[in-house]
Amino acid sequence: AQSVAQPEDQVNVAEGNPLTVKCTYSVSGNPYLFWYVQYPNRGLQFLLKYITGDNLVKGSYGFEAEFNKSQTSFHLKKPSALVSDSALYFCAVRDMGGNNRLAFGKGNQVVVIP
Amino acid sequence: DGGITQSPKYLFRKEGQNVTLSCEQNLNHDAMYWYRQDPGQGLRLIYYSQIVNDFQKGDIAEGYSVSREKKESFPLTVTSAQKNPTAFYLCASSAGTAWGNQPQHFGDGTRLSIL
């Protein structure tokens, strides 16, 4: 079965520093990968996705993610973190059964320190 | 604005009571989903529907029921058989495709607690 792992529970970063949130995946076949962000007591907001093509994907709010097939990773990055980026971040991978299901990671809490 | 509306935002359940969470979307999406979110566990799929009048169990369907009589509506009933219903419930929708390459769009959730 497909799955994603987000190895760090919390990521602390100083404002203005680069932000990286890690995600590794396990699928059979080609992965479809997604990143979402969740603010307190809100739903998830879509940031970006990788389906095919360029390994570097650009998304909303200045975020980007790099797909690395050999390392089965899809890390989320932002060159300069803002305090407002403090939130819960989820990585997800498509179910390969073709029924539009997603498997989500446990989430990473990002704390940007002013 | 197009989007997904979940109601109520907060809900309290008494012992032995069934409660229904509402989810409505005006995005014209074919597929809809219900997730349960518990701290530190990510999102777990309860039920999903790829088309009107059809739905499938997810990973944790026991104690829950759904219906999909209209394209825009996908209500979730938490039955008395669900012994630990306290959680944050999220509804989502997506443009259904055979390739699963469309993102899911989420509502702002319903927080269910036991009285």
Side-chain angles (χ1 to χ4, degrees):
Chain A
Q2 72 291 336
S3 65
V4 294
Q6 295 182 247
E8 300 163 315
D9 289 335
Q10 182 164 313
V11 175
N12 297 324
V13 61
E15 186 178 21
N17 281 4
L19 169 62
T20 299
V21 188
K22 296 180 180 179
C23 172
T24 58
Y25 65 88
S26 174
V27 296
S28 56
N30 295 322
Y32 291 176
L33 296 155
F34 302 81
W35 274 103
Y36 290 84
V37 60
Q38 184 181 32
Y39 296 98
N41 295 312
R42 300 296 300 275
L44 276 65
Q45 296 178 31
F46 169 70
L47 285 177
L48 50 80
K49 67 179 181 181
Y50 172 82
I51 304 300
T52 187
D54 289 341
N55 290 340
L56 186 63
V57 178
K58 294 189 181 297
S60 305
Y61 312 119
F63 283 95
E64 58 188 29
E66 186 169 10
F67 172 68
N68 187 317
K69 188 172 184 178
S70 63
Q71 297 185 8
T72 62
S73 67
F74 189 55
H75 301 332
L76 181 70
K77 300 179 180 181
K78 187 171 184 179
S80 178
L82 302 172
V83 172
S84 57
D85 293 328
S86 298
L88 190 57
Y89 290 81
F90 289 97
C91 182
V93 65
R94 185 197 70 159
D95 185 296
M96 299 308 293
N99 55 16
N100 297 312
R101 289 180 52 160
L102 291 177
F104 286 87
K106 291 186 177 182
N108 277 125
Q109 184 67 49
V110 169
V111 177
V112 181
I113 304 163
Chain B
D1 285 343
I4 299 178
T5 301
Q6 290 188 242
S7 62
K9 192 168 182 64
Y10 300 95
L11 187 59
F12 298 91
R13 196 191 88 170
K14 296 179 180 178
E15 292 290 336
Q17 185 182 45
N18 293 352
V19 292
T20 297
L21 285 60
S22 170
C23 177
E24 303 278 334
Q25 56 101 356
N26 60 4
L27 299 167
N28 200 32
H29 285 166
D30 287 314
M32 297 187 74
Y33 315 80
W34 273 106
Y35 294 92
R36 171 179 171 141
Q37 185 177 17
D38 295 282
Q41 295 194 42
L43 275 67
R44 292 183 290 170
L45 184 64
I46 304 173
Y47 269 97
Y48 63 104
S49 168
Q50 296 189 85
I51 198 169
V52 175
N53 293 321
D54 186 52
F55 50 83
Q56 289 82 39
K57 292 182 179 179
D59 300 319
I60 55 165
E62 185 174 353
Y64 301 97
S65 65
V66 294
S67 62
R68 186 86 188 276
E69 298 176 359
K70 298 186 295 183
K71 186 175 186 178
E72 59 270 23
S73 179
F74 192 41
L76 173 73
T77 296
V78 184
T79 74
S80 57
Q82 172 50 245
K83 299 306 181 186
N84 183 24
T86 298
F88 190 50
Y89 291 86
L90 288 163
C91 179
S93 71
S94 70
T97 69
W99 300 273
N101 59 358
Q102 297 301 313
Q104 294 182 12
H105 299 258
F106 286 79
D108 277 340
T110 292
R111 191 167 297 280
L112 177 62
S113 303
I114 295 297
L115 284 177

